[in-house]
Structure formats: structure tokens, C-alpha cells
Amino acid sequence: MTSNQISPPQGKLWMAAIKPPMYSVAIMPIWVGSAVAFRETKIFNLTIFSLFIAASILILAWENISNDVFDAETGIDQNKHHSLVNLTGNKTLMFWVGNLCLGLGLLGIIAIALWQKDPTIIGIILLCCGLGYIYQGPPFRLGYQGLGEILCFFAFGPLGMGAAYYSQTQTWSSTNLAASIILGIVTSLVLFCSHFHQVADDIAAGKKSPIVRLGTQAGAKVLVVFTTIIYPLILLFVILNIFPICTLLSFLSLPFAVKLCRHVLENHHQPDKVSNSKFIAINVHFLSCLFLGLGFIFG
Ligand SMILES: C/C(=C\COP(=O)(O)OP(=O)(O)O)CCC[C@H](C)CCC[C@H](C)CCCC(C)C
Ligand SMILES: O=C(O)C1=CC(=O)c2ccccc2C1=O
């Protein structure tokens, strides 16, 4: 957005900066991982579950706040009115607010580890935080090389869900690993969608996002392929008896998946129109994961 355009009201900018719907990506690995654990062991510890959800939200808040801090350093966010650094005008404050969120989130994880008398999940979550840091922080900034989706897949898929399952059971599960592939893909789709409307700013700042590399048209086709893959994969896991039949409930997210693919195929080259695609992707994420979890509990 250029400086001579009227910027939206402050309240809207703050909501866009905090992005509440995005926290679905922090909650769902814990929800589905705990649901798989409950199905397989009949164990469900509500205290650990609640602590893990809170910790995960705080860690994602750190990721997002520090994303605005690091992006302020490269100049990529100079036209982004809803950057927390641009809204507050105080990069140092945001840096420390982010670190406070990280510290509190890690305290939650340490509390779970102490409860379990087992440090395993501390190691896994530190690894997730490391992936979050190398995505955006100096000197790595791997997101600027177009590698964010791979990091995202592992952080919210096998690692995040592995930690959630382990926090309930102190063991591992191949079913949970299979489910984590679905979560990893559907979370990476959200990140992939977030690049379509930012091509001009990304090129100007030297960020080679996947959409800068592929172009918006090929990017839209890649999005369709990965969105479409999710459903046959779930069906395959049901046929192979890895998932219970009720996990097919996750197909209720299909209308949003179709809407997402159509919307991006039609508008990939129009930043103003395609900018909401990541929120359609969040609907796909939320519904598919919600019903996947319910499918494991009731299947
Ligand atoms: C911050 C992220 C995306 C924003 O990227 P971008 O710079 O394009 O955004 P703007 O356009 O809004 O500036 C997400 C990055 C995800 C990262 C690869 C992995 C993060 C891992 C988390 C720290 C893991 C926490 C949850 C876990 C406990 C389940
Ligand atoms: O602001 C964003 O675009 C995103 C923030 C975020 O935390 C996240 C997490 C996982 C996948 C994608 C995203 C975003 O796109």
C-alpha cells in the first residue's frame, strides 16, 4: 500500500497485526496429537493439554512478533501498515514483548516436562523454535530463500504433533506420524497462500518466496495439487486401517478447499483479491484438523 492511500482504521490494523485466526495453526497439532493419543491409550491429561495449548499459542506469538521485528530490519515491511513495529513505532519494545512470549511459552513446556519427569518435549519444542528462528532471523532468513514451507511442515507436522502425542503418553505412534503429514501439509498451505499478494514487496526486498520463484500462475497450480493431495491421503490412511473411518469427517472441509483453489486460480495475479486466500486456507486448516481430531476420538 502506498503512502497516499488511506490506511484502514487502527482497530482493524491491530487485528490484522495480531491475526487471531492464525492461532489455529498452534492449537491443532496439540488437538490432533492428543486425540490420537486418547484413541490409542485412553489417556487424556487435561492439565497437560491446556498447558501445551497455552504454550504453543505463546510460542507462535513470539514467532509472529519477532517476524515483524526481523522484517523491519530488511525493510520488507515498509508498506505493511499492520506490522507491529510500524504500528507501535518501537522495534525494541516489540523485540522484548516477543521474547517474553517465548519465555512464558517455554516455561509452560518446562512445567509439562517436570510433571512427566522427562525432558523429551523440551528438546522437540526447542527444535521447533530453532526452525522458527532460522525461518526469519539473521543470519539465516531461510524464508527469504523460499524454504519456509519445508520448515513449517516439520515444525507443525511431525515435530509439533510428535511432542503433543508424547506429552500425553511418553511414547511414539506411527498413526500420529501419518496424521502429522496431513497437518504439516495443510499448515504449509497457509504459509504458501500468504505469499501471493506480496510478490512486488518481496522482489523489492530480495525475498525469493516460492511464489516469486514460480510465478503466481504456476504457484496457483502447485497450491491446487497440494490442497487436493490431502483428501486421497486421508482416504488411503483409512483404507490401510491406519486411521479410523470417522476421520473421513475431515472431508467436511472440502467445500473450503474447493473455494480456496478456485479463488487462487482466478485471482492469483491480483494482489487485492488474492490477499484473503490465507484466511480461506485457515478455514480449510481449522475444519480439516478439527474433524480429524474428532474422528480419532469417536472413530
Ligand atoms: C511467521 C510465519 C509466517 C509469516 O511469514 P511472512 O514473513 O511471509 O509474513 P508477513 O507477510 O506477515 O510478514 C510462520 C513461520 C513458521 C515457521 C517456519 C515455523 C514456526 C515454528 C513455531 C515456532 C512452532 C510453534 C508451534 C508448535 C509448538 C506446535
Ligand atoms: O502472518 C502470516 O502470514 C502467518 C503467520 C503464521 O504464524 C503462520 C504459521 C504457520 C503457517 C503460516 C503462517 C502465516 O502465514
Side-chain angles (χ1 to χ4, degrees):
M1 196 180 294
T2 52
S3 54
N4 58 356
Q5 281 179 292
I6 299 163
S7 74
Q10 285 287 310
K12 276 200 168 173
L13 286 178
W14 275 98
M15 287 307 275
I18 299 167
K19 26 194 177 201
M22 204 52 75
Y23 286 81
S24 168
V25 304
I27 294 168
M28 288 306 165
I30 320 305
W31 160 246
V32 182
S34 304
V36 179
F38 176 73
R39 174 181 171 77
E40 292 187 340
T41 65
K42 297 289 169 266
I43 291 171
F44 177 69
N45 184 321
L46 181 63
T47 310
I48 288 181
F49 177 76
S50 311
L51 259 176
F52 210 147
I53 294 259
S56 186
I57 288 172
L58 283 161
I59 292 169
L60 191 68
W62 159 73
E63 178 72 10
N64 275 290
I65 296 168
S66 57
N67 181 263
D68 283 354
V69 171
F70 294 132
D71 280 355
E73 284 166 7
T74 65
I76 198 170
D77 279 354
Q78 63 183 14
N79 294 323
K80 188 174 149 190
H81 294 306
H82 60 279
S83 147
L84 287 165
V85 172
N86 293 342
L87 275 172
T88 59
N90 195 332
K91 185 158 68 102
T92 310
L93 174 69
M94 284 301 107
F95 178 71
W96 288 109
V97 171
N99 287 343
L100 179 65
C101 290
L102 177 62
L104 290 173
L106 289 179
L107 271 182
I109 299 297
I110 291 168
I112 298 171
L114 287 173
W115 185 302
Q116 293 191 308
K117 300 188 179 66
D118 182 340
T120 305
I121 69 156
I122 301 180
I124 304 173
I125 295 303
L126 283 178
L127 201 53
C128 288
C129 294
L131 296 184
Y133 182 82
I134 62 175
Y135 169 74
Q136 56 199 12
F140 311 99
R141 299 192 204 277
L142 296 189
Y144 281 60
Q145 303 308 318
L147 298 173
E149 281 68 11
I150 296 170
L151 303 177
C152 191
F153 173 86
F154 285 102
F156 294 97
L159 292 172
M161 268 191 69
Y165 184 93
Y166 195 91
S167 72
Q168 292 288 335
T169 62
Q170 286 182 274
T171 177
W172 310 105
S173 149
S174 52
T175 300
N176 191 57
L177 183 62
S180 77
I181 294 172
I182 308 289
L183 261 85
I185 295 175
V186 79
T187 312
S188 295
L189 281 178
V190 179
L191 185 58
F192 193 77
C193 284
S194 76
H195 305 305
F196 279 96
H197 67 292
Q198 310 204 98
V199 172
D201 282 346
D202 287 351
I203 290 174
K207 180 171 177 174
K208 299 186 195 109
S209 78
I211 304 302
V212 169
R213 286 184 184 276
L214 292 166
T216 61
Q217 185 154 36
K221 288 179 185 153
V222 170
L223 174 78
V224 173
V225 170
F226 279 94
T227 309
T228 315
I229 273 178
I230 298 166
Y231 300 94
L233 209 51
I234 294 172
L235 186 61
L236 179 69
F237 290 145
V238 170
I239 290 168
L240 294 177
N241 235 346
I242 299 172
F243 287 4
I245 190 138
C246 283
T247 54
L248 292 177
L249 276 174
S250 55
F251 278 51
L252 289 171
S253 62
L254 248 173
F256 285 95
V258 172
K259 181 178 171 185
L260 175 67
C261 293
R262 280 203 179 135
H263 184 70
V264 175
L265 280 172
E266 280 165 20
N267 302 302
H268 60 87
H269 52 305
Q270 300 187 71
D272 285 349
K273 288 192 177 166
V274 80
S275 65
N276 65 340
S277 62
K278 82 173 168 190
F279 293 104
I280 308 176
I282 273 291
N283 287 335
V284 178
H285 177 277
F286 177 76
L287 288 176
S288 58
C289 296
L290 177 73
F291 286 117
L292 199 59
L294 287 174
F296 278 111
I297 293 170
F298 295 114

